[in-house]
Amino acid sequence: MNLKYFFIIFVLTIVITRVFLTFYPAHAEKIGNFQPHHYMFGLILILVYLLLPKITALTTTILSIGSAWVVDEIPLFFIFGTWNWPDNHWTQYHSWQSIIGIVIISAL
């Protein structure tokens, strides 16, 4: 796996996701009482990566996007202390605590 390529896609995914959600802060449609978030889609992409047989540019892209979506929302878990966030969590999502959390987690 090319770590430089992974990191570029990882950072671009977080930046694009954050810019998009700044201008269009919308939730995914609820499925019953279940509210999907993009960290869940990230976990699915990581699982897909683990099931694919070869490491190629495509699988590296899948892993980096999935990892970025998970890392992008991990700080919200620490801010709220749970994965069940209120509907108006956008202020906390765009807070400095969240951004600094992403930087620290990404550095690790």
Side-chain angles (χ1 to χ4, degrees):
M1 174 186 320
N2 185 342
L3 288 178
K4 186 176 181 181
Y5 177 76
F6 174 89
F7 188 70
I8 290 169
I9 299 297
F10 180 87
V11 170
L12 281 175
T13 301
I14 291 175
V15 169
I16 290 168
T17 301
R18 290 218 162 228
V19 168
F20 180 81
L21 290 174
T22 297
F23 293 109
Y24 304 102
H27 296 286
E29 294 296 323
K30 282 189 175 184
I31 304 167
N33 289 330
F34 177 72
Q35 178 70 54
H37 291 274
H38 60 267
Y39 78 87
M40 295 172 190
F41 297 113
L43 291 173
I44 291 169
L45 286 179
I46 292 170
L47 179 63
V48 167
Y49 166 79
L50 293 172
L51 296 174
L52 292 175
K54 295 182 181 177
I55 297 177
T56 62
L58 175 63
T59 58
T60 302
T61 302
I62 289 171
L63 179 61
S64 54
I65 291 172
S67 300
W69 280 344
V70 170
V71 168
D72 186 48
E73 288 195 332
I74 286 176
L76 289 177
F77 171 78
F78 292 107
I79 290 170
F80 291 111
T82 180
W83 289 110
N84 188 19
W85 306 321
D87 285 338
N88 60 349
H89 68 276
W90 298 111
T91 302
Q92 293 86 357
Y93 179 75
H94 295 294
S95 70
W96 282 107
Q97 293 170 322
S98 181
I99 306 260
I100 291 170
I102 290 170
V103 171
I104 291 170
I105 294 166
S106 298
L108 294 174

